[in-house]
Amino acid sequence: MSYKVDLNSDLGESFGAWKMGSDADVLTFVSSANVACGFHAGDPLVMKSTVKEAVKAGVAVGAHPSYPDLKGFGRRNMTCSPDELYADTLYQIGALRAFCEAQGIKLQHVKPHGAMYNSAAKKPEEALALAQAVKDAGEGLILMGLAGSKFDEAAEKLGIPYAAEAFADRGYMNDGSLVPRKMEGAFVRDVEVAAQRVIRMVKEGVVEAIDGTTVKLRPQSICLHGDSPSAVQMARTLRTRLIEAGIEIVPLSKIV
């Protein structure tokens, strides 16, 4: 049996003089990049340069929209109406699409960021608002969301391409949600452990939760965070172990 998976990372999260992550290095190992669109990080120059570097590395580009929360890096909860979520998301997609078109490529996907992502994964009205923005932004755009979440249902309801996502470096609760960042077990620090977890996700469709139970999921894309101290090592090890396990790494457009 053949296996394929996309490796994605959240990139372009610098802002002005503030630098975040090792984007150029991470880009050598992933197949898709989620580029910040200015609401939680990233500014026009960072967006421009990140898209350019992704093209140079042969990596597909997706928009990474967020709540309007620069100070909190998009990780603080906000109470937004579905209409606000729709408009903010559509706005950010349009901004990044322009930079992609300027570089001669098509925007591949949209993956919400941070608190917006986590909230919509549990609330159908929010997931539907984000999915509608993706649909209205242009034919063929892929919505990326947490495997087994409300994103799955929203994409199916609207009939848009969808990619279920799992995380290489994050812990899971027994309901399939991510362990909150402030809780013990939120992060998988050992790169070899993370790699083996991902191989099991792709081949067996399961992951072990922090309480030892087994959670079912079938991801098309695996995220590794570009802002972590071990991002480059994680990316390198993960790519190597996946290939050794007979798993082909390809962009989402070749899977969905």
Side-chain angles (χ1 to χ4, degrees):
M1 182 175 180
S2 63
Y3 298 94
K4 293 182 180 180
V5 75
D6 172 59
L7 279 187
N8 79 76
S9 189
D10 305 339
L11 303 175
E13 293 183 321
S14 298
F15 189 87
W18 181 61
K19 303 300 178 185
M20 170 69 85
S22 303
D23 289 7
D25 293 327
V26 173
L27 278 169
T28 64
F29 301 107
V30 299
S31 47
S32 295
N34 317 307
V35 181
C37 303
F39 273 36
H40 77 281
D43 57 36
L45 282 176
V46 172
M47 292 165 72
K48 175 177 178 289
S49 63
T50 305
V51 171
K52 185 175 182 179
E53 287 300 312
V55 172
K56 190 177 179 182
V59 172
V61 175
H64 197 35
S66 167
Y67 288 144
D69 181 27
L70 273 176
K71 186 178 288 187
F73 199 66
R75 288 181 177 157
R76 298 183 294 188
N77 291 321
M78 295 182 70
T79 301
C80 298
S81 69
D83 196 45
E84 287 175 314
L85 290 174
Y86 170 86
D88 284 351
T89 300
L90 189 63
Y91 178 94
Q92 292 174 80
I93 294 171
L96 192 68
R97 183 193 291 280
F99 284 109
C100 288
E101 291 179 351
Q103 289 294 326
I105 65 166
K106 287 186 176 181
L107 187 66
Q108 174 187 251
H109 67 279
V110 178
K111 172 191 167 180
H113 166 79
M116 175 193 277
Y117 180 101
N118 292 330
S119 182
K122 298 178 179 179
K123 299 178 181 178
E125 70 278 9
E126 295 184 4
L128 195 61
L130 299 180
Q132 189 68 58
V134 173
K135 182 175 184 177
D136 293 349
E139 187 177 353
L141 270 182
I142 301 166
L143 171 63
M144 186 190 296
L146 185 66
S149 72
K150 297 302 179 183
F151 284 114
D152 301 41
E153 298 171 15
E156 183 177 2
K157 184 174 183 178
L158 294 180
I160 61 173
Y162 177 70
E165 178 185 41
F167 289 77
D169 50 7
R170 292 294 307 277
Y172 278 82
M173 304 294 283
N174 58 19
D175 64 353
S177 63
L178 300 179
V179 177
R181 286 176 172 268
K182 293 183 179 180
M183 277 183 60
E184 185 176 349
F187 299 95
V188 180
R189 307 292 187 186
D190 187 311
V191 295
E192 293 292 349
V193 170
Q196 291 309 309
R197 283 165 62 89
V198 170
I199 291 170
R200 193 178 181 201
M201 290 177 195
V202 176
K203 289 192 169 184
E204 299 177 33
V206 297
V207 66
E208 184 177 313
I210 58 169
D211 65 358
T213 58
T214 299
V215 176
K216 292 182 179 181
L217 76 178
R218 185 68 70 178
Q220 283 85 44
S221 188
I222 302 294
C223 176
L224 51 99
H225 286 95
D227 60 346
S228 68
S230 61
V232 176
Q233 183 186 3
M234 179 72 77
R236 180 186 296 111
T237 301
L238 188 55
R239 186 179 185 92
T240 300
R241 297 292 177 263
L242 286 173
I243 292 172
E244 289 174 350
I247 300 169
E248 186 180 359
I249 298 168
V250 297
L252 279 180
S253 58
K254 294 187 177 180
I255 301 174
V256 177

